[in-house]
Amino acid sequence: LPELPPLPQDDVDDAVMFARVLYYDNPFSRLMKETDRALTKQLNKEHNTRDLLNLPDKSNGNWKGYIEFLQDVFSMQRCSTFDRDYISDCKCLQNPEISLPDSVSYLLDYCQTWKSIRQTLLKEKLRSANTIKKLNRLNRNHKTQSFHYAAPIGVDRGDVFICVNAFRFLFCIGRSEMNSLKKNAMSGIPGPIRHGNVDMPNRASGLNYLAAVESC
């Protein structure tokens, strides 16, 4: 694949704007939302019969849009929080171990899986990152102290360790979702995010008028 020249990022304001454009024009995020809508619609239509055949066709764009997008991401000279005006000195996305074709292939497959499966996968990665973070602190390994998050974006989908900002961006994780994932991951409960209303009685059952009707 031909290498595209990076967009100008010499100034901090240019780098922030570049990160903002990427954040709000993420084709993987759009594909994920389209997949969630398609699976939810199909699940409701077929009465809990899960058929994964009718997903958005990711071959329509011939991968071109996804490849060009990741080329821009990997050309960033410094990592960014993407959804905030903050630029760090991290250059983990310029790691030569990163494979563009394998990154595109993995992220396309990731975006076309069930949301519950994605959340379960992310929770495992967050637990692993927390363990690596603790080990690095014990060993005083400052060189890789901030690269705790494993992403299968290397050759043959091998893991490449990146910072939290790059991890959030590649997996399309917003701030509130990241907080929920961390909280659930550290709780040790397996599976997707467990919301507070799970296993709780329906709130309507506690209404006074229902209690009055039942007592008649």
Side-chain angles (χ1 to χ4, degrees):
L1 295 173
E3 294 187 2
L4 299 178
L7 297 180
Q9 304 172 53
D10 298 331
D11 186 79
V12 174
D13 292 336
D14 291 338
V16 169
M17 182 59 67
F18 183 47
R20 285 269 183 177
V21 171
L22 292 176
Y23 179 77
Y24 288 108
D25 191 29
N26 189 336
F28 292 100
S29 178
R30 291 195 296 270
L31 176 64
M32 190 182 302
K33 293 175 181 178
E34 291 173 4
T35 299
D36 289 342
R37 284 194 295 267
L39 290 176
T40 302
K41 182 178 180 181
Q42 189 169 313
L43 184 63
N44 294 335
K45 181 179 179 181
E46 300 187 5
H47 306 288
N48 296 331
T49 301
R50 299 187 175 186
D51 182 3
L52 301 182
L53 297 179
N54 298 328
L55 294 176
D57 187 2
K58 62 189 178 186
S59 64
N60 287 340
N62 197 27
W63 287 26
K64 182 179 179 181
Y66 303 103
I67 292 174
E68 291 177 349
F69 174 77
L70 282 186
Q71 280 181 323
D72 287 339
V73 172
F74 295 150
S75 71
M76 290 190 63
Q77 298 176 11
R78 291 172 291 183
C79 285
S80 167
T81 53
F82 299 101
D83 51 356
R84 287 184 176 178
D85 295 339
Y86 175 75
I87 298 291
S88 69
D89 292 330
C90 176
K91 298 182 179 181
C92 63
L93 290 179
Q94 294 186 355
N95 191 329
E97 296 180 1
I98 294 177
S99 168
L100 180 59
D102 290 297
S103 300
V104 174
S105 173
Y106 173 78
L107 289 175
L108 286 174
D109 288 341
Y110 169 80
C111 291
Q112 291 206 305
T113 58
W114 287 88
K115 185 176 182 179
S116 57
I117 297 177
R118 297 198 305 264
Q119 289 181 348
T120 303
L121 176 65
L122 291 176
K123 284 176 60 177
E124 292 300 322
K125 290 185 177 298
L126 290 177
R127 275 194 284 264
S128 176
N130 187 60
T131 301
I132 294 173
K133 184 177 181 179
K134 290 180 179 178
L135 290 175
N136 284 344
R137 284 180 176 176
L138 290 174
N139 298 330
R140 297 183 179 181
N141 189 350
H142 300 289
K143 184 177 181 181
T144 59
Q145 193 169 2
S146 61
F147 301 157
H148 308 137
Y149 299 84
I153 56 177
V155 178
D156 295 329
R157 299 189 177 186
D159 282 337
V160 176
F161 287 92
I162 55 180
C163 71
V164 62
N165 296 325
F167 180 82
R168 279 185 51 204
F169 184 71
L170 289 178
F171 289 95
C172 309
I173 308 173
R175 288 196 302 272
S176 59
E177 184 182 5
M178 187 66 171
N179 292 334
S180 297
L181 284 168
K182 281 186 175 180
K183 182 179 179 180
N184 278 260
M186 296 306 107
S187 69
I189 300 175
I193 290 178
R194 186 179 177 87
H195 297 282
N197 289 333
V198 174
D199 295 335
M200 297 290 290
N202 192 309
R203 283 172 289 184
S205 63
L207 295 178
N208 293 331
Y209 79 90
L210 284 180
V213 170
E214 292 175 354
S215 64
C216 293

